[in-house]
Amino acid sequence: MKNTNTIYSLAVAGVQQLIPYKAGKPIEELERELGLTQIIKLASNENPLGPGKKALEAIQSALAELALYPDGSGFHLKHALAEKYALNADQITLGNGSNEILELVARAFLTPELEVVFSQHAFAVYPIVTQAVGATAVVIPALHYGHDLEAMLQAVTEKTRLVFIANPNNPTGTLLTQASLEQFIGALPDTVVCVLDEAYFEFVNTVETVNSIGWLKKFPNLIITRTFSKAYGLAGLRVGYGLSSPEIADILNRVRQPFNNNSLALAAAKAALADDEHLQRTISNNTQGMQQLTEGFKSLGLEWIPSAGNFVSVDLKRAGQPIYEALLRKGVIVRPVGNYELPNHLRISIGTHAENELFLQALTDILAHV
Ligand SMILES: *Cc1c(COP(=O)(O)O)cnc(C)c1O
């Protein structure tokens, strides 16, 4: 028998140290294991209403062309996005989920000598893509669960090539003001690329309008990432995009695979973009569900981190993992966030009214018996 440890020693150093992203089990498998029939999943910030009708119809029509390679330039989707955001198509990079954009940025801009600055409690993919290319992660302690922009700026050195910011942040849901962000990006050296991850921007519901796209004119080192996985309900198809200067888009397009988006995804995303009715329904369900959950937490005497996204992290004032497991046994999947250094919190994705109700009932039962 050969020694398989040799194989591990052959992987590049960063990959040897990597802890893979932990995905949940498929619902059907859990139902089988737990002997349950009606599991609800409030764990991955998906759209509880599903995709819109227009997206589903577009998928149906695109089925006829499945034998052909997809349009590798993403022509139609890029043009729809360009029109929506008043940008040029050459400022857009399409990805297999916005996760791929994050990875393309890391591959295109990082080497093992360079550093990447991001916040504690920030999205789990930032350390993964950083480490996979052997670069050094500089993690800045959070401020009130969110990004401490001042400390992040102070951590920038001549080795820094990349900064990741999630706004709203996952899993905390914290939101930075547009003014503080604009100032932060403006203060970065030209030699630092700033990734502004806006996976949840459609849910942002404040008096402030998100105007980050307007900053692209003055910040050639900025890339904004967005996705069809959350508000548009297409997580299973994997479509995300980057909005940037044409120069950054050109660089990312050099490293991406020629057919990184499949044809059903391209068709569905373009149709989803034109389905404002479904988007509005989604946002309104989210607003109501957020209120329903936080009122539930309040009556249980629990505190939560105010969230601008489609999820909320609740402080159980005790280890979250056993509560997560108890919820699982009652058929409710949520997300433990111990791996985000939030061991006493659980992150709950906003579901339908009925799903939120089932979750609150299960949580109430469990907390009455601990
Ligand atoms: C969900 C999420 C993404 C997007 O994931 P994709 O499905 O790959 O588009 C990106 N950033 C954050 C912070 C997220 O929570």
Side-chain angles (χ1 to χ4, degrees):
M1 187 69 184
K2 292 243 167 75
N3 183 357
T4 49
N5 283 335
T6 307
I7 298 294
Y8 283 111
S9 73
L10 301 179
V12 296
V15 174
Q16 288 187 40
Q17 309 294 325
L18 257 184
I19 302 164
Y21 181 88
K22 216 171 142 201
K25 282 183 197 169
I27 290 193
E28 310 78 58
E29 177 59 17
L30 267 176
E31 287 181 340
R32 200 187 57 76
E33 278 179 21
L34 298 169
L36 297 166
T37 49
Q38 273 285 328
I39 287 189
I40 62 168
K41 183 168 183 260
L42 303 175
S44 301
N45 305 342
E46 293 133 334
N47 187 334
L49 308 182
K53 219 180 339 157
K54 288 188 180 177
L56 292 174
E57 282 165 9
I59 291 169
Q60 195 66 41
S61 316
L63 287 176
E65 307 272 311
L66 273 191
L68 305 179
Y69 275 101
D71 169 22
S73 72
F75 183 88
H76 295 292
L77 177 56
K78 276 191 190 172
H79 278 80
L81 286 165
E83 187 172 284
K84 184 177 170 75
Y85 295 127
L87 294 171
N88 288 321
D90 68 358
Q91 295 181 270
I92 300 169
T93 310
L94 300 180
N96 198 258
S98 55
N99 266 290
E100 191 189 18
I101 306 288
L102 304 176
E103 196 182 328
L104 294 178
V105 172
R107 275 173 44 209
F109 288 100
L110 295 178
T111 66
E113 291 73 38
L114 296 170
E115 294 179 352
V116 182
V117 173
F118 53 85
S119 176
Q120 180 192 20
H121 311 316
F123 189 40
V125 170
Y126 310 154
I128 293 178
V129 299
T130 300
Q131 210 177 313
V133 294
T136 302
V138 178
V139 185
I140 306 305
L143 181 66
H144 310 307
Y145 296 113
H147 295 62
D148 184 345
L149 291 181
E150 229 166 275
M152 288 177 74
L153 197 56
Q154 264 160 31
V156 170
T157 68
E158 65 268 29
K159 284 192 188 163
T160 310
R161 178 61 50 83
L162 204 59
V163 173
F164 284 112
I165 293 181
N167 198 50
N169 184 44
N170 171 21
T172 59
T174 48
L175 186 73
L176 295 159
T177 65
Q178 294 291 293
S180 67
L181 257 179
E182 185 176 6
Q183 192 180 25
F184 172 84
I185 300 165
L188 285 176
D190 294 347
T191 50
V192 175
V193 173
C194 180
V195 177
L196 179 57
D197 180 342
E198 295 186 334
Y200 300 97
F201 101 99
E202 291 91 350
F203 295 106
V204 173
N205 178 21
T206 63
V207 282
E208 265 199 319
T209 15
V210 176
N211 51 17
S212 50
I213 288 177
W215 306 336
L216 291 173
K217 282 196 200 78
K218 54 178 181 179
F219 300 140
N221 55 336
L222 170 64
I223 174 163
I224 299 161
T225 61
R226 294 185 178 179
T227 181
F228 287 91
S229 299
K230 307 286 161 56
Y232 289 101
L234 297 173
L237 285 179
R238 316 301 303 122
V239 204
Y241 54 97
L243 307 172
S244 67
S245 57
E247 291 76 19
I248 289 186
D250 174 40
I251 290 166
L252 299 185
N253 270 300
R254 295 178 192 193
V255 287
R256 75 173 175 90
Q257 287 180 34
F259 302 108
N260 60 335
N261 286 109
N262 72 73
S263 47
L264 302 185
L266 290 170
K270 177 171 179 274
L273 213 52
D275 195 346
D276 202 48
E277 204 184 317
H278 186 64
L279 184 63
Q280 291 314 320
R281 225 181 356 252
T282 298
I283 291 168
S284 134
N285 177 75
N286 196 64
T287 309
Q288 290 164 31
M290 186 68 83
Q291 188 165 359
Q292 187 187 359
L293 286 188
T294 53
E295 276 169 10
F297 295 152
K298 205 167 177 179
S299 53
L300 287 167
L302 298 174
E303 284 170 26
W304 64 93
I305 307 170
S307 169
N310 64 343
F311 55 88
V312 56
S313 288
V314 61
D315 184 356
L316 298 162
K317 310 256 192 262
R318 57 171 72 75
Q321 187 69 25
I323 309 291
Y324 156 77
E325 283 161 18
L327 283 165
L328 205 55
R329 287 192 294 273
K330 288 181 179 287
V332 182
I333 314 176
V334 299
R335 178 61 60 100
V337 281
N339 60 327
Y340 285 96
E341 299 181 6
L342 294 166
N344 289 357
H345 285 77
L346 288 177
R347 189 193 69 195
I348 325 299
S349 305
I350 309 297
T352 61
H353 185 85
E355 288 171 335
N356 299 335
E357 207 48 55
L358 281 169
F359 157 73
L360 283 172
Q361 195 50 59
L363 182 65
T364 306
D365 289 354
I366 290 161
L367 292 180
H369 295 98
V370 289

